Amino acid sequence: MKDKEKKAPIGGLGAIKTKVGIIGAGPAGLTLALMLQKQGIQSIIIENRSREYVENRVRAGLLEHNTVEVFEELGVADRLHKEGLVHHGCYIAYNGVIQRIDFQKHTQREVTIYGQQEVVKDLIQACIDRNIEILFEAEATEINDFMTGEPSISFTHLGENKVLNCDFVAGTDGFHGLGRKTLPKETYNEFKIEYPFSWLGILAHSKPNYDELIYAYHNEGFALASMRSEKVCRLYLQVPNDEKIENWTDEKIWAELENRLGIELDKGDIFEKSITPMRSFMIDNLQAGRLFLAGDAGHIVPPTGAKGLNLAVADVRNLAKGVTEFYKNGSDELLKSYSEKCVARVWRVQDFSNFMTYFCHKQAENGSFEQLLQKSKFDYLRISEAYQKTIAENYVGLPFDVF
Ligand code: RFL
Ligand code: PHB
């Protein structure tokens, strides 16, 4: 919808107004709304799913030091500190030979294990407590006039067509959202890798009998042992892209995990299983006029580096700073450099996530040149403090303002 006639007038039937119209109540959109509210800037979030759905969507689990600090500053980290598990290192294994990466020693920083569903629950509750309006089951259908100073978002809610008039539009609507589809194609280049493997992920009522995460290369394929609490394990197995979840009985999953991880597991009740493809994707521009993309809307990293949610938080931190500067000092300098600043960090994280993915996954035949190079990297990791430090500082998250 390009012409203004089709839109309801401001204050008219179905039209509402705010400063920042945010599409998507994922970690990016919710964090942005709270950052803006802290600066006295009003926003409204439009989310096409129900509250129950977004609060129960199983995804990430690992928060960088930076991300935890942002949540502390926003006053939403109480439950995270009570229930989250702080880890000072992780293990990387190659066919059963284990090397610990010591985050504390190499970076004086740590990571926190806390499920994305819990993050989202905390953020939604804080938005509600702070009178930030979230319209659930409201689908954004069009972003209008974003090259002018008066953009708007057309959406449907409770069977009605509505319009949100705003000064800025934040496309924090994930990989399949409207934000990136709306960004003019001529403003960006697109980059992607589709990996020839996927992750079969499970959640189980089991006691993790490992104290830190284990990333395991194995001749049968990669496995990752993570956790959600002292009673819930989160585990992943590398599977082919065309794998069907029906082919994996619980017994087969546990046997394969024990084989690849080289440890005995507490084989409890599996209550969630799904297969996720692995991809790296990004565009090198995240803005046009008054439309700004953040989080998965602008980039996807394979989960081996545990970075997607953390990158989403880094993006919206830059966006909130730019919008705040605009309202407080009338300057759009930070907004103009928003994309450039975010994209520099995205490239660094893309490289690390891609490195971890190729490093840990089974790709080449045993004994092939590629597989022996991969093994050599692991042999080097075993003896090189420098290599360990490089992994540690990327894994815990580089400080925000270096990029
Ligand atoms: P989200 O979470 O996808 O939220 C976007 C929201 O927008 C809504 N939406 C719309 N709403 C209204 N109108 C429309 N037209 C809309 N279109 C979409 C959607 O319903 C949704 O609610 O994006 P956001 O906020 O950018 O957050 C990104 C993170 O969710 C993602 O990067 C992470 O989950 C990635 N990830 C991990 N990240 C980490 O930092 N650490 C980890 O340990 C980690 N592990 C993972 C992961 C992702 C995984 N999967 C399943 C892809 C492990 C896995 C297996
Ligand atoms: C998780 O706990 O879900 C998780 C942890 C680390 C990763 C990916 C996922 O690299």
Side-chain angles (χ1 to χ4, degrees):
M1 184 176 72
K2 294 280 173 297
D3 56 340
K4 291 210 167 187
E5 279 80 62
K6 287 192 215 144
K7 283 193 275 172
I10 296 173
L13 191 66
I16 45 178
K17 179 147 179 63
T18 192
K19 287 203 158 59
V20 183
I22 300 177
I23 310 174
L30 293 163
T31 307
L32 175 64
L34 289 165
M35 286 172 163
L36 295 173
Q37 189 268 347
K38 199 170 172 210
Q39 300 301 329
I41 300 165
Q42 200 212 16
S43 66
I44 292 179
I45 305 179
I46 295 171
E47 165 59 52
N48 63 0
R49 301 289 191 163
S50 67
R51 179 174 178 183
E52 197 196 352
Y53 183 93
V54 294
E55 288 189 345
N56 289 293
R57 192 163 37 196
V58 176
R59 282 197 180 164
L62 189 136
L63 307 182
E64 285 178 2
H65 197 107
N66 297 311
T67 303
V68 172
E69 278 176 0
V70 165
F71 291 157
E72 280 166 359
E73 284 161 20
L74 289 173
V76 293
D78 289 355
R79 198 162 69 91
L80 183 162
H81 284 311
K82 250 183 250 141
E83 296 174 21
L85 306 169
V86 174
H87 284 191
H88 301 285
C90 73
Y91 300 101
I92 301 185
Y94 193 95
N95 283 328
V97 180
I98 285 202
Q99 176 63 48
R100 180 166 187 264
I101 308 291
D102 188 334
F103 305 152
Q104 203 64 36
K105 176 165 104 189
H106 293 300
T107 68
Q108 296 79 52
R109 298 175 129 215
E110 68 231 0
V111 297
T112 302
I113 306 297
Y114 189 63
Q116 179 165 330
Q117 301 114 285
E118 307 312 316
V119 169
V120 167
K121 280 179 204 151
D122 295 346
L123 297 175
I124 288 177
Q125 193 55 53
C127 285
I128 291 168
D129 293 346
R130 296 171 200 184
N131 296 321
I132 297 167
E133 194 167 358
I134 309 175
L135 300 171
F136 288 104
E137 299 177 69
E139 167 115 22
T141 51
E142 199 132 7
I143 303 169
N144 317 296
D145 304 325
F146 55 89
M147 296 311 289
T148 75
E150 295 180 345
S152 67
I153 304 167
S154 302
F155 65 102
T156 53
H157 189 219
L158 307 172
E160 271 183 59
N161 293 331
K162 298 188 179 176
V163 174
L164 174 60
N165 293 295
C166 46
D167 297 339
F168 296 99
V169 176
T172 51
D173 48 356
F175 185 63
H176 301 288
L178 180 64
R180 198 177 65 259
K181 286 184 197 132
T182 305
L183 198 72
K185 293 258 177 300
E186 63 280 9
T187 66
Y188 62 82
N189 296 298
E190 191 177 292
F191 304 88
K192 70 173 168 217
I193 300 174
E194 310 234 329
Y195 297 91
F197 39 77
S198 299
W199 276 16
L200 187 164
I202 63 158
L203 279 167
H205 292 296
S206 307
K207 185 176 159 12
N209 49 12
Y210 37 93
D211 57 344
E212 291 170 342
L213 271 54
I214 309 169
Y215 291 80
Y217 170 91
H218 189 276
N219 285 346
E220 299 297 319
F222 168 73
L224 168 61
S226 180
M227 59 188 81
R228 287 292 176 270
S229 70
E230 268 136 39
K231 291 189 193 143
V232 174
C233 286
R234 177 76 164 141
L235 297 134
Y236 299 95
L237 284 170
Q238 173 184 351
V239 294
N241 278 342
D242 57 359
E243 190 58 275
K244 299 269 172 297
I245 198 82
E246 305 82 77
N247 296 340
W248 287 81
T249 61
D250 293 3
E251 294 67 33
K252 183 172 166 188
I253 292 173
W254 285 121
E256 203 51 41
L257 283 166
E258 286 191 328
N259 176 36
R260 296 187 194 180
L261 291 163
I263 55 169
E264 201 178 315
L265 295 166
D266 172 25
K267 299 181 272 298
D269 167 45
I270 297 178
F271 62 94
E272 217 280 330
K273 354 182 207 194
S274 58
I275 294 183
T276 312
M278 306 274 286
R279 64 163 79 87
S280 302
F281 174 91
M282 68 181 282
I283 55 177
D284 58 2
N285 169 46
L286 299 172
Q287 67 190 91
R290 294 286 182 101
L291 170 64
F292 295 84
L293 305 191
D296 278 14
H299 37 75
I300 294 289
V301 286
T304 332
K307 288 279 172 249
L309 185 161
N310 296 297
L311 207 46
V313 169
D315 285 350
V316 295
R317 183 175 171 273
N318 291 331
L319 185 52
K321 280 188 169 188
V323 171
T324 303
E325 173 89 349
F326 177 86
Y327 286 114
K328 294 248 153 96
N329 304 321
S331 159
D332 63 358
E333 282 311 304
L334 287 182
L335 281 175
K336 278 202 257 170
S337 59
Y338 166 76
S339 180
E340 198 185 340
K341 188 160 167 67
C342 291
V343 167
R345 188 176 185 88
V346 176
W347 274 120
R348 175 88 300 286
V349 168
Q350 286 287 7
D351 176 53
F352 177 67
S353 304
N354 173 266
F355 161 80
M356 284 292 284
T357 302
Y358 283 135
F359 189 46
C360 295
H361 286 75
K362 166 80 183 165
Q363 296 139 88
E365 284 306 305
N366 295 337
S368 65
F369 184 67
E370 289 81 2
Q371 187 259 328
L372 293 169
L373 286 182
Q374 201 175 347
K375 176 164 187 311
S376 164
K377 287 194 183 64
F378 181 79
D379 291 341
Y380 179 50
L381 180 73
R382 300 265 296 152
I383 55 129
S384 169
E385 292 267 325
Y387 207 16
Q388 292 168 25
K389 183 172 177 148
T390 296
I391 292 182
E393 73 181 6
N394 282 276
Y395 192 90
V396 300
L398 292 162
F400 279 134
D401 286 318
V402 294
F403 290 108

